[in-house]
Amino acid sequence: MSAAGARIGVITFPGSLDDGDARRAVRRAGASDVGLWHGDADLHGVDAVIVPGGFSYGDYLRCGAIAKFAPVMTEVVRAAGQGMPVLGVCNGFQVLCEAGLLPGVLTRNSGLHYVCRDQWLRVDNNTSTWTTRYEPGAELLIPIKHGEGRYVAEDPVLDRLEGDGRVLFRYVDGNPNGSRRDIAGITDERGRVAGLMPHPEHAVDPLTGPTDDGLGMFLSALDTLVAA
Amino acid sequence: MARVVVDVMPKQEILDPQGQAVANALPRQGFEGISEVRQGKRFELEVDDGVDDDTLARIAENFLANPVIEDWAVRRVES
């Protein structure tokens, strides 16, 4: 498959905000972007899916709790089970946790404040589909903007995530939300499904973001799709 | 028809910054002697008689609460 032949879908829920930037990031990485509609139980043959940031269904009940029942998510869960790469950013991370594709849950920031700033992250693991372009230990500057980004899971779950190398990113230079063990992003057992609170799609062009450090996530997945 | 109340509370070991903020605001208003506040949610459901307890438990466990961080309790009340 050529890079441009790789089709990466981006879901739009009612209340999604970052679907436009996610699609732009996909194009900037060299792949083709495909819009996916929340009410449409069809992935239209895409090779990977991005669940973008925003406030799906108004964040009612809990962040991501209603989105997980959207018709498109049933298909995402099924495709993820078959190994399709899936990335959840911010609200998308919350949706993937609620849907059971990733362990744990994102809760109200410990300081109660909505935090919007450029944040340093450290790459913990580069073997997942979405992080192969990074060097382990590399530090990235990527925007965060969330009110409920404190990653919580029981200690045995956290121990297993760390022991299996499934923590992808940690916050450095200050934990913005009280996340357990400074966790900013994780992946599933196969390294195909990833979720993180920071917004790599907002850091793909130095003209509009702090860096282009986020582009590597999209290029990483594209490498896998092209090699397949 | 019956009224069912589902209470959802953050687990005791889970940090509850909203409850803490409420607790911290009480002394500023002159209310003393309240050492802890935990903030949760209460759902009121109007339920047909044919809906059994097992169904209500599944609604609470799988949807109204996230059992990773929250406990829940279902009770039927007089409507």
Side-chain angles (χ1 to χ4, degrees), chain A residues 116-198:
Chain A
C116 182
R117 71 183 194 210
D118 297 333
Q119 172 73 42
W120 284 102
L121 310 175
R122 189 180 64 242
V123 178
D124 251 42
N125 183 297
N126 72 343
T127 62
S128 85
T129 299
W130 295 92
T131 54
T132 50
R133 286 276 188 130
Y134 299 111
E135 296 292 329
E139 296 198 349
L140 318 176
L141 186 62
I142 289 183
I144 58 169
K145 45 169 193 160
H146 59 251
E148 304 191 39
R150 175 168 53 100
Y151 183 72
V152 171
E154 294 178 352
D155 281 317
V157 174
L158 296 171
D159 292 342
R160 197 159 64 242
L161 285 173
E162 291 182 333
D164 294 346
R166 290 169 54 194
V167 175
L168 298 182
F169 303 105
R170 288 183 213 260
Y171 301 111
V172 290
D173 270 1
N175 180 335
N177 51 33
S179 275
R180 306 270 334 257
R181 305 190 192 183
D182 298 330
I183 289 173
I186 59 171
T187 188
D188 71 338
E189 287 170 358
R190 288 186 285 183
R192 308 285 281 187
V193 178
L196 75 168
M197 288 311 297

Side-chain angles (χ1 to χ4, degrees), chain B:
Chain B
M1 294 284 283
R3 173 163 294 177
V4 168
V5 173
V6 181
D7 290 311
V8 175
M9 291 297 295
K11 286 184 174 176
Q12 198 60 39
E13 67 271 22
I14 296 287
L15 178 69
D16 176 19
Q18 295 178 100
Q20 287 179 349
V22 172
N24 293 339
L26 288 170
R28 294 201 296 272
Q29 300 169 71
F31 298 111
E32 300 294 339
I34 295 151
S35 57
E36 186 183 3
V37 175
R38 311 269 306 162
Q39 179 177 323
K41 298 176 190 145
R42 171 189 167 115
F43 299 87
E44 297 181 349
L45 288 65
E46 296 298 327
V47 174
D48 289 344
D49 294 336
V51 179
D52 62 15
D53 289 349
D54 181 58
T55 301
L56 293 171
R58 279 189 285 129
I59 290 169
E61 171 91 11
N62 299 327
F63 187 41
L64 300 182
N66 183 330
V68 175
I69 51 167
E70 293 167 328
D71 294 323
W72 52 268
V74 175
R75 57 195 158 94
R76 293 176 185 265
V77 299
E78 297 297 320
S79 54

Side-chain angles (χ1 to χ4, degrees), chain A residues 13-209:
Chain A
F13 295 105
S16 290
L17 295 177
D18 303 323
D19 41 339
D21 267 21
R23 292 181 66 168
R24 179 169 171 272
V26 167
R27 292 194 298 273
R28 196 166 176 86
S32 299
D33 61 308
V34 178
L36 301 175
W37 186 241
H38 67 100
D40 191 2
D42 188 345
L43 297 184
H44 298 280
V46 296
D47 304 300
V49 170
I50 297 173
V51 188
F55 298 87
S56 57
Y57 300 93
D59 273 355
Y60 294 159
L61 186 57
R62 293 178 307 278
C63 303
I66 298 179
K68 73 173 166 178
F69 294 116
V72 74
M73 282 307 300
T74 308
E75 296 305 305
V76 169
V77 171
R78 190 180 53 76
Q82 296 168 353
M84 177 180 283
V86 178
L87 174 67
V89 176
C90 197
N91 188 225
F93 186 13
Q94 296 163 341
V95 172
L96 296 184
C97 287
E98 281 282 344
L101 289 177
L102 293 171
V105 61
L106 285 308
T107 62
R108 185 67 61 101
N109 293 351
S110 57
L112 288 175
H113 290 286
Y114 190 97
V115 180
C116 182
R117 71 183 194 210
D118 297 333
Q119 172 73 42
W120 284 102
L121 310 175
R122 189 180 64 242
V123 178
D124 251 42
N125 183 297
N126 72 343
T127 62
S128 85
T129 299
W130 295 92
T131 54
T132 50
R133 286 276 188 130
Y134 299 111
E135 296 292 329
E139 296 198 349
L140 318 176
L141 186 62
I142 289 183
I144 58 169
K145 45 169 193 160
H146 59 251
E148 304 191 39
R150 175 168 53 100
Y151 183 72
V152 171
E154 294 178 352
D155 281 317
V157 174
L158 296 171
D159 292 342
R160 197 159 64 242
L161 285 173
E162 291 182 333
D164 294 346
R166 290 169 54 194
V167 175
L168 298 182
F169 303 105
R170 288 183 213 260
Y171 301 111
V172 290
D173 270 1
N175 180 335
N177 51 33
S179 275
R180 306 270 334 257
R181 305 190 192 183
D182 298 330
I183 289 173
I186 59 171
T187 188
D188 71 338
E189 287 170 358
R190 288 186 285 183
R192 308 285 281 187
V193 178
L196 75 168
M197 288 311 297
H199 288 266
E201 80 283 9
H202 292 336
V204 297
D205 182 346
L207 182 66
T208 54

